[in-house]
Amino acid sequence: MLTRAENETLTRVGPGTPMGNVLRQYWLPAVFSYEVAADGDPLRIRLLGEDLLAFRASDGRVGIVEPLCPHRGAGLFFGRNEECGLRCVYHGWKFDVDGRCIDMPSEPEESSFKDKVRLGAYPTRERNGVVWTYMGPRAEPPELPALEWNLVPPSQLHASKRMQESNWIQALEGGIDPAHAGFLHAPLGRKLDPRILRERYFLNDRHPRFELVDTPYGVRIGTRRNAEPGRYYWSITHYMAPYYNAFAFFDGQEQPSMGSFGWVPMDDVTTMAWCFTWNPARPLSDDEIRETYYLEQIGGGVHVEGDRLLPPTQEPGGAFRPAANRGNDYLIDRRAQRTTRFAGPPGMSAQDAALQESMGAIFDRTREHLGTSDATIIRMRRTLLQAARALAESGTVPAGVDAPETYRVRPAGIVLDASEDWSRAADGWINGKELTAPVLL
Amino acid sequence: MLTRAENETLTRVGPGTPMGNVLRQYWLPAVFSYEVAADGDPLRIRLLGEDLLAFRASDGRVGIVEPLCPHRGAGLFFGRNEECGLRCVYHGWKFDVDGRCIDMPSEPEESSFKDKVRLGAYPTRERNGVVWTYMGPRAEPPELPALEWNLVPPSQLHASKRMQESNWIQALEGGIDPAHAGFLHAPLGRKLDPRILRERYFLNDRHPRFELVDTPYGVRIGTRRNAEPGRYYWSITHYMAPYYNAFAFFDGQEQPSMGSFGWVPMDDVTTMAWCFTWNPARPLSDDEIRETYYLEQIGGGVHVEGDRLLPPTQEPGGAFRPAANRGNDYLIDRRAQRTTRFAGPPGMSAQDAALQESMGAIFDRTREHLGTSDATIIRMRRTLLQAARALAESGTVPAGVDAPETYRVRPAGIVLDASEDWSRAADGWINGKELTAPVLL
Amino acid sequence: MLTRAENETLTRVGPGTPMGNVLRQYWLPAVFSYEVAADGDPLRIRLLGEDLLAFRASDGRVGIVEPLCPHRGAGLFFGRNEECGLRCVYHGWKFDVDGRCIDMPSEPEESSFKDKVRLGAYPTRERNGVVWTYMGPRAEPPELPALEWNLVPPSQLHASKRMQESNWIQALEGGIDPAHAGFLHAPLGRKLDPRILRERYFLNDRHPRFELVDTPYGVRIGTRRNAEPGRYYWSITHYMAPYYNAFAFFDGQEQPSMGSFGWVPMDDVTTMAWCFTWNPARPLSDDEIRETYYLEQIGGGVHVEGDRLLPPTQEPGGAFRPAANRGNDYLIDRRAQRTTRFAGPPGMSAQDAALQESMGAIFDRTREHLGTSDATIIRMRRTLLQAARALAESGTVPAGVDAPETYRVRPAGIVLDASEDWSRAADGWINGKELTAPVLL
C-alpha cells in the first residue's frame, strides 16, 4: 500500500514532476524507424505527457520536435517536410531536425529574426529499427542502453508495440510480476505434457517463492518452484529501470528465444507497450514468430499486430490500438474461459491489458492489499521512489543511466539442487557472454 | 425555488453526502432476477454513485460487490463465477457473495492473509423478480417495503426499466407532478369519448386543484377536477419515500390495473427508472400489457422494452438505454405534434425523459418559478431535505424505513360529492384491503 | 506576445467577461432567415457562450430566447410554436417573441402569476437574409452596421457559414492577416499567368510591407508589394470591429465582386464563420459563385456548403460543420500538397480551419513570436483590449457601435506610383460612393 502522495509521485510523468524528471534521464524508444520516411508525412507522437512530431528529413535524420510553430502556433503536422526541414504552411517558416529556423520568408530578407527563434527539439538516435530520443537535461546525452534486442542482427528480432489505456506503472507491475502468469495466462482443462518441464513445474506448484537481487540496472528476480525431490526450478527474470522487463518462454532449447517489454509512458493515462522477441544466437524461425500469436498457448499473443490492431487514427499512437480493447471488453470469450483458458480475453497482451486497464486510468494504491508474492512490485516502487527523491534532493543520476552496458541481460530457466545459488548459477548466459543456455530447460 | 445549497443537498447521492445517507437507509431495487444467472457472467451496475458488480453464485444467492479485487485492483468483471464464488483471474483470489476471501492460491498455503482481506459486499434480498440491496449502516437491515407490485403473483405484474440521463430528483418531480399529464401526455384534436369519464374530466377542467396529506410512507396526493355539478373527480396518487410513485390509468373497471415508478439514482446524473404495472386481483391480460405500449393513448408508452431499447453496451445499465434518447431528440415527431398529440416524442416515458433531461444533468433550481400546481413537488423536497437534516443532526431514521407495511397503497380515481373527504373515501381500496375499486371510474 | 491575463481577456466571451461585454455592444449575425420558418421547429443556437432558441412566430417575427422554461426548466425546444408564441409542452406555459408569458393554463384562471414570469429574450432585426440580435444593455439598441453585403439586392450576394472548432480570435487573426495568403492559400508548381497581375505581384514579392490606418470602424490595412519599377501594388483590406474583414479576389475587373467574413463567437472554443461574397454594382454570375468553390484557385473554397458540410446534428450550429474537419485532418491531400498547392487541405476555408484549429481550442499567446508581418494582428488586439478596458473603467462605447455607416467599406487592389498615398487613393470606391473600381486591377 502506498500513501496518496507516494502514488502521485510514482505515477505522474509530465514535465517538472519528480518521476517525469527521473524518466527524462533515460533514452526512450520513440517510434519504429519504418514509421518515418524521408520527406514523408510528419507523425504525431506523445511522450511523457508532451505532444510532439516525428519526421525524417531528406538526409535521413529523424527530428522529434514541438508540434506548433513558434511564430503563431500553427500545427506543423500540416507542414511540408522538404529539403532537409519541416516548413510551416501558415507563413512558410522552416525548421531543421535540431529545431533551428532555416528560412523565414514572411519577414524582410535582411531580417535576423529567424536566428532568434527556435523550435523545441530532442536529440535522437536510431538503432536496429528503433528511433530513440533523449528528453533530459544533459547537453551530451548518455549512451543508449545495451539491451540485447537492440543489438542483435535484424533477423534475430521481432518487434511490435500497442497502446494501453492506463498509467505505465500498473502495466509495468504486471510485467515484472512473476506470480500472475500461472493464473492470468494459464491454460485450462488440458493434460500436462511431461515433455514440457516448465509447464509441469508451473502447474505442479501454484505457490512459488520469490527472491530478489538488486543490480546496477534494476532487479534480478528469482521465482522458485518445486522440481524433482531435492531440486528447484528457478525462473530468472529482470526488471530494468525504468520500465523494461525480460522474460523467457523457452523450454528445453539450447538456443532459445526470449522476450522483453518496455512500457513507455505517453502520458499519465496512456502507455506504449513495446514488445521484443529476440534470439542471441540465430535467426528467429517463422514457426517461432507464429507461436507468439498462438492464443491458446501460455505466452501466446504477446505481439499485437496486423488484424489485431484497429485501423489507424490521427491521434498520437493511433496506429497501435488493439482491436481487443476496453470498448469491447477485450473481446472476452466467456465460453473459452469456461473450457480452455483461465481468463477470457484472447492472448497474453489482451489479458494483461484487460486486467491492468480495469484498475482505472491510474490505480489508487491506497486501496491495495499486497502479499508475499508482490515482493517484486514493492522493490520496483521503492527503487523508483528513491530515485525520484535522490534526483530531486541531490541531483543523483538514477540507476542504469550511466551503466548502459549492464542492460545486456537475459532471462533464464534452470533446475538446480536446493543448495545452489540461483543468482550466480547462470551468469555467463544471463550476462550475454554465452550463446547456449547452460541448463536444459 | 431552492437555494444553491439546498439544491446540492437534494440532488447529490454519493457516499457521505447528506441525501446519499438518507437513500442508504432504504432497500434499493438493484437488478432484475433474470439479469444474473447462476455461475453466469458478472454484471456491471451503478447505484448511488458506486460502481458495483452483481453475480449469482452456484447456490442461487446473488452477490452485489465492489468491482475491483482488493489485492491489486484488477477488475472482477473479468473474473470466473464458479463454485459459489467469484475468482479474480489476475492471481486467483476468490470471494463469496458476502465478500469473504475463500481462496488465495498466490500465497503460501499456510498463510492466513486471506482471512484479513474482504471484498466490499452489500446484503441482497430477492422477491418477485427483483433483486434488492441494502447499502446502509445497519448490521440487520429493515424489512423490504411492502409495495404491492412486489407481492402479487408474477402473472399479475409486468415490469421493465430504462436509463435516464438526468438527476433522479427531476425524474421524481415529473413522476409525482399531477398537473403535467393533462399537457405533456395529452392527445390532440380528438373528440371526447363520453364513455371515458376520466378523459372527459381531464379535458374539461384544465385548472385542477391539489390537496396533500402527509403519511408514514410519504404523501397522499388528491387532484380535484370538476365533474358533474356539485361533484368532484378526485385522482388519488402517492409519493412513497424516497423515490416511488403510484398512479392510475383505469377507467370504469372494477378490478383495474395500476402503475408505479421507482427512480433509483445510479449516480448524480443518471437514474434507473423502474416501471411496474400490476393488478391486485387478477392476471394482467395481453391487451392490457399491449396498451401500455400504445403510444397515442394517454399513458401509453410507460414501459420501454425490446425494440424501444438500444443494443446493450458494457456500461452499467447499458442494456436499458432507450432508442428514443437525447442523442436523437427522443425521435420527436413534429408532424404528430401538430396533429395528434401535444408533445412530439413517442410515448409517455420518452416524453418524460425528453422534458426532464432537457433541464440539464442536474437542474439549477435557483432559476425556477413555482406555481400552485407545484405543491406536490414542494412537499416532496421539504420531506427529503428535512430527512437529510434530521438524519445528519440526530440520526433520525427517515420516513417509511421502519414502516414497510405502509407502502401497500394503491392509486384511485373517484367521483365524490363536494362535501366528502377524499382522503378517507376509499381507504379500504387504497390500503390494499379490498380487491374491487369502490367507486365506478 | 501577450501576457496570460491579456490572452484571457482577449479570448473569453461569456456573460460578464470584459470582452463578452464589448461584444454585447454590437449587433450579432444570429441565424440565416431561411433557418426559421413561421410556426416551424425551434432552432438551437449558441451565441457568446449562451445557449438560446430561435423561432419565427406566426406573424413572421423572429424570437431569440432562453432555451429553458422559467417554470421548472423544461426545454422549450420540445415546445409548440403556434399562434404567435412558443408553448412549453410540460405544463402549457406560452411565451411570445419578446419573452412575455401569454398563457399559463396550469394555474387557476384568476391567477396573475403569468404577469410576473418572463422568458429571457433578445431583440432581433432581419435584413437581407440575416437575422441579427442584440445581446447588450441598451433599451434602445443602436442601428445595424451598414455592411455593404447586408444592403445590396439579394441577387448581388452569396452567403454561407461554417462552424469552426476554435476560439474566435485565432480565426479573426487569420482573417485579417495579409501575409498568410501568399503561403497557406498559394498554388504550387504552376506557371505565372502574365494576364493575372495580382498573382504575378504575389509570387514575385514574397516579402511584402504593411501599413495600417486607424478608422472609426477598425483598421484599414495596406499591403505593399513591388510592381513595375517605381510602382507599388497595394492590397487594401479592412478589419471592422469586432470580428469582420473585407478582402478582394478581383483582377482587372471594373465591377468586381468582393468577400467578407464575420467570425461570431458561439462560445470560447467554437466560432461561426459567416462568409459573404457580394457585388455592389451587378448580380453575381453563376461562374463567379462557382469559382469560390474551385479549390485549386487562390481564394477558392471560401464558401463551404452542400456536400462540403456534414449531415446536420441537433447541436447548436450542427447544420454547419464542414466535412473537412479536425476529425479527419481536414481531408488533407498530401499528394496535392507535393504537386499543386502549398497546403494540403482542399480549399481556403479548410486550410484556414486546419491551421487555426491546430493551435488548440484557445491558443496560448504567451508562446508566440511575432514578426513585422504581424502588425495587423497586434493592432487588432490592442484595439480590442483597449475597448475592453475603456468599457469596464468608464463605460466607453467601443469603436463602430455608434458609427454604423462607416462599415460601408470595400477592399481594393491598386497599382500606384511609389510617391502616392495608398490610404486616400481610392476613397470613393472604398467608401462605397462609386460603383466602378477606379484603378485597373
Side-chain angles (χ1 to χ4, degrees), chain B residues 376-405:
Chain B
T376 319
I377 279 95
I378 294 167
R379 182 75 59 98
M380 173 275 289
R381 293 179 188 171
R382 204 178 60 199
T383 303
L384 285 176
L385 287 169
Q386 282 174 348
R389 196 161 37 240
L391 178 63
E393 288 175 2
S394 57
T396 307
V397 175
V401 170
D402 286 320
E405 278 305 315

Side-chain angles (χ1 to χ4, degrees), chain A residues 39 41 44 68 70-75 77-80 89-91 93 105 107-110 113 314, chain C residues 174 177 184 188 206-207 209 326-327 329 334 337-338 341-342 355 358-359 368-374 377:
Chain A
D39 288 344
D41 303 343
R44 294 182 179 102
L68 301 189
H71 178 205
R72 289 208 336 249
F77 173 80
F78 297 101
R80 308 174 58 83
V89 291
Y90 209 177
H91 302 87
W93 294 20
E107 290 297 305
E109 291 189 86
E110 67 277 17
F113 188 40
Q314 51 172 6
Chain C
D177 171 1
L184 183 58
L188 203 74
R206 288 254 167 136
H207 301 278
R209 309 294 172 117
R326 198 171 60 172
D329 284 335
R334 294 286 192 185
Q337 190 176 11
R338 287 196 180 87
R341 59 187 189 238
F342 193 74
L355 273 287
S358 71
M359 301 167 184
E368 70 190 0
H369 296 79
L370 298 185
T372 61
S373 74
D374 301 303
I377 279 95

Side-chain angles (χ1 to χ4, degrees), chain A residues 159-221:
Chain A
S160 69
K161 60 182 179 177
R162 66 172 170 87
M163 266 180 70
Q164 180 159 327
E165 297 180 75
S166 81
N167 182 262
W168 66 298
I169 290 286
Q170 58 215 61
L172 174 59
E173 287 176 350
I176 62 171
D177 170 1
H180 81 292
F183 300 98
L184 183 60
H185 306 313
L188 203 74
R190 170 152 78 76
K191 287 218 180 97
L192 293 184
D193 183 342
R195 291 165 306 180
I196 307 181
L197 296 176
R198 167 196 168 87
E199 192 165 297
R200 183 197 303 171
Y201 302 139
F202 247 78
L203 297 172
N204 261 1
D205 186 356
R206 286 256 167 137
H207 301 279
R209 309 292 171 119
F210 307 96
E211 295 189 11
L212 307 177
V213 175
D214 286 327
T215 66
Y217 58 78
V219 182
R220 185 177 293 197
I221 305 156

Side-chain angles (χ1 to χ4, degrees), chain C residues 319-354:
Chain C
F320 302 97
R321 298 174 306 136
N325 57 49
R326 198 171 60 172
N328 54 24
D329 284 335
Y330 310 88
L331 302 172
I332 189 168
D333 182 338
R334 294 286 192 185
R335 198 176 56 84
Q337 190 176 11
R338 287 196 180 87
T339 52
T340 63
R341 59 187 189 238
F342 193 74
M348 194 173 106
S349 276
Q351 289 155 5
D352 281 331

Side-chain angles (χ1 to χ4, degrees), chain B residues 89-266:
Chain B
V89 292
Y90 208 177
H91 302 88
W93 295 19
K94 182 173 171 180
F95 304 90
D96 68 12
V97 293
D98 298 316
R100 272 187 295 266
C101 185
I102 54 179
D103 193 21
M104 193 182 271
S106 64
E107 290 298 304
E109 290 189 86
E110 66 277 16
S111 166
S112 64
F113 188 40
K114 80 170 188 296
D115 304 327
K116 303 192 184 97
V117 170
R118 281 196 80 95
L119 180 68
Y122 292 116
T124 64
R125 297 274 189 285
E126 200 164 0
R127 194 168 72 183
N128 220 7
V130 175
V131 178
W132 298 76
T133 194
Y134 177 76
M135 300 167 70
R138 297 192 193 180
E140 198 61 46
E143 289 300 305
L144 291 179
L147 292 149
E148 192 171 58
W149 50 257
N150 200 222
L151 295 164
V152 295
S155 64
Q156 295 171 217
L157 172 65
H158 184 78
S160 69
K161 60 182 180 178
R162 67 173 170 86
M163 267 179 69
Q164 180 159 326
E165 297 180 73
S166 81
N167 182 261
W168 66 297
I169 289 287
Q170 57 215 60
L172 174 60
E173 288 175 349
I176 62 171
D177 170 2
H180 81 291
F183 300 98
L184 184 59
H185 306 312
L188 204 74
R190 168 154 80 76
K191 286 215 180 101
L192 292 184
D193 183 341
R195 290 165 307 180
I196 308 180
L197 295 177
R198 168 196 168 87
E199 192 165 297
R200 184 197 302 170
Y201 302 138
F202 247 77
L203 297 172
N204 261 0
D205 185 355
R206 287 254 168 137
H207 301 279
R209 309 293 171 118
F210 307 96
E211 295 188 12
L212 307 177
V213 175
D214 286 326
T215 66
Y217 58 77
V219 182
R220 186 178 292 196
I221 304 155
T223 302
R224 193 189 86 188
R225 285 181 175 82
N226 294 326
E228 290 71 27
R231 288 171 68 78
Y232 292 135
Y233 164 55
W234 289 93
S235 302
I236 300 175
T237 55
H238 306 272
Y239 161 58
M240 289 102 102
Y243 38 53
Y244 304 100
N245 76 351
F247 60 96
F249 292 124
F250 40 83
D251 189 278
Q253 299 181 19
E254 290 201 345
Q255 294 189 329
S257 299
M258 291 155 278
S260 174
F261 275 97
W263 288 277
V264 182
M266 295 178 63

Side-chain angles (χ1 to χ4, degrees), chain A residues 140-388:
Chain A
E140 198 61 47
E143 288 300 305
L144 291 179
L147 292 148
E148 193 171 57
W149 50 256
N150 200 222
L151 295 164
V152 295
S155 64
Q156 295 172 218
L157 171 66
H158 185 77
S160 69
K161 60 182 179 177
R162 66 172 170 87
M163 266 180 70
Q164 180 159 327
E165 297 180 75
S166 81
N167 182 262
W168 66 298
I169 290 286
Q170 58 215 61
L172 174 59
E173 287 176 350
I176 62 171
D177 170 1
H180 81 292
F183 300 98
L184 183 60
H185 306 313
L188 203 74
R190 170 152 78 76
K191 287 218 180 97
L192 293 184
D193 183 342
R195 291 165 306 180
I196 307 181
L197 296 176
R198 167 196 168 87
E199 192 165 297
R200 183 197 303 171
Y201 302 139
F202 247 78
L203 297 172
N204 261 1
D205 186 356
R206 286 256 167 137
H207 301 279
R209 309 292 171 119
F210 307 96
E211 295 189 11
L212 307 177
V213 175
D214 286 327
T215 66
Y217 58 78
V219 182
R220 185 177 293 197
I221 305 156
T223 302
R224 193 190 87 189
R225 287 182 174 82
N226 295 325
E228 291 70 27
R231 288 171 66 80
Y232 292 136
Y233 164 55
W234 289 93
S235 301
I236 301 174
T237 55
H238 306 272
Y239 160 59
M240 289 101 102
Y243 36 55
Y244 305 101
N245 76 350
F247 59 97
F249 293 123
F250 40 82
D251 190 279
Q253 299 180 19
E254 291 200 345
Q255 295 189 329
S257 299
M258 291 155 280
S260 173
F261 277 97
W263 289 275
V264 182
M266 294 177 64
D267 52 35
D268 289 349
V269 297
T270 321
T271 301
M272 189 62 84
W274 294 71
C275 179
F276 305 95
T277 301
W278 84 98
N279 193 298
R282 57 168 176 81
L284 295 173
S285 73
D286 287 353
D287 278 358
E288 205 164 24
I289 294 173
R290 204 155 30 235
E291 268 183 20
T292 67
Y293 290 90
Y294 181 50
L295 303 183
E296 298 301 324
Q297 179 148 338
I298 292 192
V302 288
H303 290 288
V304 179
E305 287 179 288
D307 286 356
R308 303 237 162 91
L309 293 174
L310 292 177
T313 69
Q314 51 172 6
E315 298 300 311
F320 301 96
R321 298 173 306 136
N325 57 50
R326 199 172 59 173
N328 54 24
D329 283 335
Y330 310 89
L331 301 172
I332 189 169
D333 182 339
R334 293 285 192 186
R335 198 175 57 82
Q337 190 176 10
R338 288 196 179 87
T339 52
T340 62
R341 59 187 188 238
F342 194 74
M348 194 172 105
S349 277
Q351 289 155 5
D352 281 333
L355 272 287
Q356 293 159 11
E357 295 180 8
S358 71
M359 301 167 183
I362 302 180
F363 179 57
D364 173 6
R365 289 177 179 73
T366 65
R367 301 180 55 194
E368 69 189 0
H369 296 79
L370 298 185
T372 61
S373 74
D374 301 304
T376 319
I377 280 95
I378 293 167
R379 183 73 60 97
M380 173 275 289
R381 293 179 189 172
R382 203 177 60 200
T383 303
L384 284 177
L385 287 170
Q386 282 174 348

